[in-house]
């Protein structure tokens, strides 16, 4: 959420959407943040702030996932896991773990690029959450990473390496420097962030699981240990479950702050900002309100900034989607057509998976806001073959979408379909309705708990089904509700997504196009479940 600079306090979360596994740095007066992007493309989002509260999305560091053939179809729980962002020797560096392939890095002279192609630093299955450290005192470089049991059979431990200062290779086979199995009550230790402070090596690392965990801090006089540990942030009596996994940053005036995530079901992992200080109980960091997350706090001592948040609305100038959009797999030429006007012109891609949007790579997505909102978009189904369809979707392990479809006789109908988590194909959520103009304004009202109510306006007064009018007056007929309430669900590790899609069943020849215009998200009242 954006914050009014006139207010002396900010309120959490500062990023109220699925910016999973955040890491943050400061370069001069600017703060930068990246987050997990898993199998969506482009990946490695890059956010910028001047006050740690108001953030904008300025680009992505990864334009395609490699190897490209492995990400030609959606792989929502693969790809980019828990990146670390650093600035060293005049360059920006991002390291991340692909749980199936190993530790990668990219680097660039400026945050907006150009970024190098991914370089494999260490190959292996289950290598996740890497973080580098260049030690300015000794000139040496190090890397620490965690393990994914699903790929390696190993978890709850952190492995350390010496790294070449160029950041291109590791100089040893690695050593377990923190074994969570040896710490009573600790489990699922992961997500390490490596720092030097006050003569110590520090590892900030979460444990205890995504929804229920805590933030730990580890310190040692030597990189390879031994380390001592302390819990420095946990839920306590707050309503912020599992406050952990993030990064420490210091402002120019010397204030310390910690950004971390909270898992919120269909909304994914939203980002909180916590005050931090050093020196509690023997020099340990103290995060939040004596180790408990704060809901609001005095703003950082930084110059006031205008309210800002990552973009959501889009007119698609020139047919190009804004930075907030990501495909569900590596895109292919021809999915979207550039042109001289506004509007997103998507090809109705022929596919054998037309019965299940979750299997499609050509779904253009953005994050579901964590605050109740209304999502709207105009859709025109252009001339095309029977079966061609397009629409607005809420995607997760279950999904629902509303849109237009051309029938065997060439007529266009308004359709609304859904698929349950366990279903392998979709079915009607409401009876098809006439849409003779081939146009519709589509709407989803998303309330607390990510409960979605779909509606539509075809501008056709002849549609007498469900004639209730919301009063918005779009077109002659007004918005009409469609189907039952749909409760959005996350994917594994990923929050629910808003999606725009155009497709057609298998066949010969071009199946037509669909044009989306005036995509808007209007935030409603403050949500009741925060």
């Amino acid at each position: 959420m954006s914050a009014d600079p006139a207010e002396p306090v900010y309120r959490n979360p500062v990023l109220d959407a699925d910016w999973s596994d955040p890491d943050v740095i400061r370069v001069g007066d600017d703060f930068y943040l990246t987050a997990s992007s898993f199998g969506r493309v482009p990946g490695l989002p890059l956010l910028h702030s001047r006050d740690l509260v108001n953030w904008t999305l300025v680009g992505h560091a990864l334009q395609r996932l490699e190897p490209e053939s492995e990400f030609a179809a959606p792989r929502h729980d693969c790809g980019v896991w828990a990146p670390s962002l650093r600035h060293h020797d005049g360059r920006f560096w991002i390291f991340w773990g692909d749980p199936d392939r190993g530790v990668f890095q990219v680097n660039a002279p400026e945050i907006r690029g150009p970024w190098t192609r991914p370089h494999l630093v260490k190959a292996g299955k289950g290598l996740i959450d890497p973080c580098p450290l260049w030690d300015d005192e000794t000139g040496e470089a190090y890397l620490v990473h965690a393990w994914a049991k699903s790929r390696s059979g190993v978890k709850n431990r952190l492995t350390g390496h010496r790294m070449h200062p160029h950041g291109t290779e590791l100089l040893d086979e690695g050593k377990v420097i923190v074994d969570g199995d040896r710490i009573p009550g600790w489990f699922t230790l992961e997500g390490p962030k490596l720092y030097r402070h006050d003569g110590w090596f520090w590892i900030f690392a979460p444990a205890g699981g995504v929804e229920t965990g805590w933030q730990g801090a580890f310190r040692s006089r030597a990189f390879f240990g031994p380390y001592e540990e302390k819990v420095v942030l946990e839920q306590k009596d707050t309503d912020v479950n599992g406050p952990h996994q993030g990064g420490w940053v210091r402002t120019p005036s010397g204030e310390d702050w910690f950004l971390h995530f909270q898992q919120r079901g269909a909304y994914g992992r939203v980002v909180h900002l916590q005050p931090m200080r050093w020196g509690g109980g023997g020099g340990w960091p103290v995060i939040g309100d004596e180790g408990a997350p704060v809901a609001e706090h005095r703003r950082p001592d930084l110059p006031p900034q205008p309210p800002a948040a990552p973009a959501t609305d889009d007119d698609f100038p020139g047919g190009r989607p804004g930075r907030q959009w990501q495909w569900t797999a590596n895109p292919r030429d021809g999915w979207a057509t550039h042109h001289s006007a506004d509007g997103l012109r998507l090809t109705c891609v022929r596919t054998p998976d037309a019965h299940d949007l979750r299997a499609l790579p050509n779904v253009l997505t953005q994050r579901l806001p964590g605050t109740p909102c209304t999502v709207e978009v105009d859709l025109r189904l252009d001339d095309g073959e029977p079966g061609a369809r397009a629409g607005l979707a809420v995607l997760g392990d279950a999904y629902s979408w509303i849109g237009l479809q051309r029938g065997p006789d060439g007529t266009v109908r308004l359709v609304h379909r859904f698929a349950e988590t366990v279903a392998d194909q979709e079915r009607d959520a409401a009876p098809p309705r006439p849409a003779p103009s081939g146009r519709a304004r589509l709407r989803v009202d998303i309330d607390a708990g990510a409960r979605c109510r779909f509606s539509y306006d075809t501008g056709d007064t002849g549609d007498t089904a469900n004639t209730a009018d919301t009063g918005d007056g779009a077109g002659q007929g007004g918005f009409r509700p469609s189907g039952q309430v749909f409760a959005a669900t996350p994917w594994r590790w990923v929050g629910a997504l808003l999606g725009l899609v155009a497709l057609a069943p298998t066949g010969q020849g071009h199946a037509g196009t669909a044009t989306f215009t005036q995509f808007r998200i209007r935030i409603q009242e403050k949500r009741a479940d925060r």
Side-chain angles (χ1 to χ4, degrees):
M1 60 182 281
S2 61
D4 184 347
E7 294 187 20
V9 300
Y10 70 89
R11 295 172 180 83
N12 277 315
V14 293
L15 283 167
D16 201 357
D18 186 26
W19 301 95
S20 178
D21 313 318
D23 194 23
V24 62
I25 60 170
R26 177 178 65 87
V27 180
D29 294 326
D30 298 286
F31 299 92
Y32 300 103
L33 181 147
T34 192
S36 295
S37 51
F38 299 99
R40 302 197 302 279
V41 181
L44 289 173
L46 304 167
L47 288 82
H48 170 255
S49 177
R50 284 288 185 95
D51 63 1
L52 291 172
V53 175
N54 293 282
W55 293 88
T56 57
L57 178 64
V58 297
H60 292 82
L62 188 62
Q63 296 308 307
R64 300 185 72 84
L65 288 163
E66 297 184 4
E68 293 205 13
S69 60
E70 292 188 10
F71 293 94
R75 301 181 68 196
H76 302 296
D77 61 348
C78 302
V80 176
W81 284 26
S84 292
L85 174 63
R86 293 293 181 264
H87 190 260
H88 167 72
D89 196 26
R91 298 186 71 84
F92 291 88
W93 301 77
I94 302 179
F95 284 68
W96 75 92
D98 178 323
D100 299 303
R101 300 197 64 223
V103 173
F104 287 87
Q105 61 97 333
V106 292
N107 59 86
E110 304 289 342
I111 195 68
R112 291 172 175 82
W115 289 84
T116 60
R117 287 189 61 177
H119 174 79
L120 184 61
V121 178
K122 180 183 180 182
K125 286 188 174 293
L127 310 179
I128 59 169
D129 309 352
C131 184
L133 171 70
W134 286 270
D135 188 345
D136 292 335
E137 296 181 16
T138 64
E140 295 186 316
Y142 305 93
L143 183 131
V144 62
H145 68 80
W147 295 86
K149 187 175 181 179
S150 60
R151 272 69 165 190
S152 65
V154 175
K155 73 168 189 175
N156 205 32
R157 65 188 63 173
L158 306 179
T159 295
H161 295 266
R162 294 187 183 276
M163 183 177 72
H164 194 290
H166 289 168
T168 56
E169 60 182 319
L170 304 179
L171 302 179
D172 55 36
E173 294 300 313
K175 174 185 175 183
V176 174
I177 57 177
V178 179
D179 186 345
D181 290 343
R182 296 179 177 271
I183 308 174
W186 284 59
F187 61 96
T188 317
L189 176 64
E190 57 188 355
K193 296 293 182 282
L194 183 58
Y195 306 99
R196 278 285 254 161
H197 174 69
D198 196 27
W200 297 86
F201 287 92
W202 290 89
I203 300 174
F204 285 31
V210 169
E211 296 186 358
T212 58
W214 58 88
Q215 181 67 37
F218 300 82
R219 69 180 183 185
S220 174
R221 293 294 185 184
F223 172 70
F224 287 104
Y227 283 84
E228 51 184 323
E229 81 285 340
K230 185 176 182 179
V231 175
V232 293
L233 183 69
E234 56 187 327
Q235 180 172 354
K236 295 191 176 179
D237 60 354
T238 74
D239 61 358
V240 180
N241 59 293
H244 71 320
Q245 189 157 343
W248 159 48
V249 68
R250 174 167 285 178
T251 69
S253 65
E255 287 185 346
D256 295 303
W257 297 85
F258 183 74
L259 284 137
H260 66 89
F261 76 70
Q262 173 200 9
Q263 172 66 37
R264 293 194 58 244
Y267 300 114
R269 302 175 185 181
V270 302
V271 178
H272 293 240
L273 175 66
Q274 302 295 336
M276 177 177 144
R277 60 182 173 85
W278 290 92
W284 291 88
V286 179
I287 301 177
D289 181 8
E290 301 300 321
V294 299
E296 61 180 39
H297 193 269
R298 172 189 58 80
R299 298 171 63 89
D301 181 21
L302 292 163
Q305 302 295 319
T312 56
D313 294 355
D314 205 346
D315 289 320
F316 308 105
R320 293 171 172 82
R323 295 188 183 102
Q324 66 268 35
W325 297 96
Q326 296 170 291
W327 298 100
T328 47
N330 280 329
R332 302 172 198 167
D333 292 340
W335 285 358
T337 302
H338 296 168
H339 53 87
S340 59
D342 288 352
L344 177 69
R345 189 177 299 161
L346 294 183
T347 298
C348 294
V349 177
R350 292 193 180 276
T351 173
D353 296 314
H355 58 280
D356 189 349
L357 300 191
R358 294 165 297 197
L360 300 183
N362 59 305
V363 184
L364 194 62
T365 69
Q366 66 166 282
R367 293 161 178 82
L368 184 73
T371 301
C373 64
T374 296
V375 182
E376 291 185 9
V377 68
D378 282 333
L379 169 63
R380 183 184 74 236
L381 189 61
D382 301 317
D383 290 342
E385 295 294 315
R389 68 204 71 165
L392 168 66
V394 178
L395 288 161
D397 280 334
Y399 73 83
S400 187
W401 72 279
I402 190 168
L404 299 173
Q405 179 170 330
R406 189 172 298 278
D409 60 356
T411 61
V412 178
R413 300 180 75 82
L414 190 291
V415 295
H416 181 190
R417 299 194 173 113
F418 78 103
E420 301 167 88
T421 301
V422 296
D424 59 5
Q425 61 182 358
E426 64 188 25
R427 56 195 179 98
D428 285 335
R433 303 176 175 94
S437 67
R439 297 171 178 265
R441 181 89 177 151
L442 309 174
R443 172 188 285 181
V444 187
D445 291 294
I446 305 172
D447 297 329
R451 292 169 59 83
C452 304
R453 293 172 172 83
F454 288 79
S455 58
Y456 68 97
D457 175 17
T458 60
D460 176 25
T461 57
D463 180 4
T464 58
N466 292 321
T467 55
D469 193 334
T470 64
D472 291 79
Q476 294 180 338
F479 278 95
R480 296 171 170 84
S482 181
Q484 301 300 313
V485 172
F486 170 75
T489 62
W491 272 313
R492 190 180 186 192
W493 314 133
V494 180
L497 298 167
L498 300 171
L500 303 177
V501 63
L503 67 150
T506 54
Q508 299 297 318
H510 185 60
T513 61
T515 301
F516 296 87
T517 54
Q518 296 184 33
F519 183 92
R520 299 288 184 268
I521 297 180
R522 299 197 309 273
I523 300 300
Q524 300 173 6
E525 71 281 356
K526 183 178 179 181
R527 65 172 183 263
D529 62 340
R530 180 178 295 175

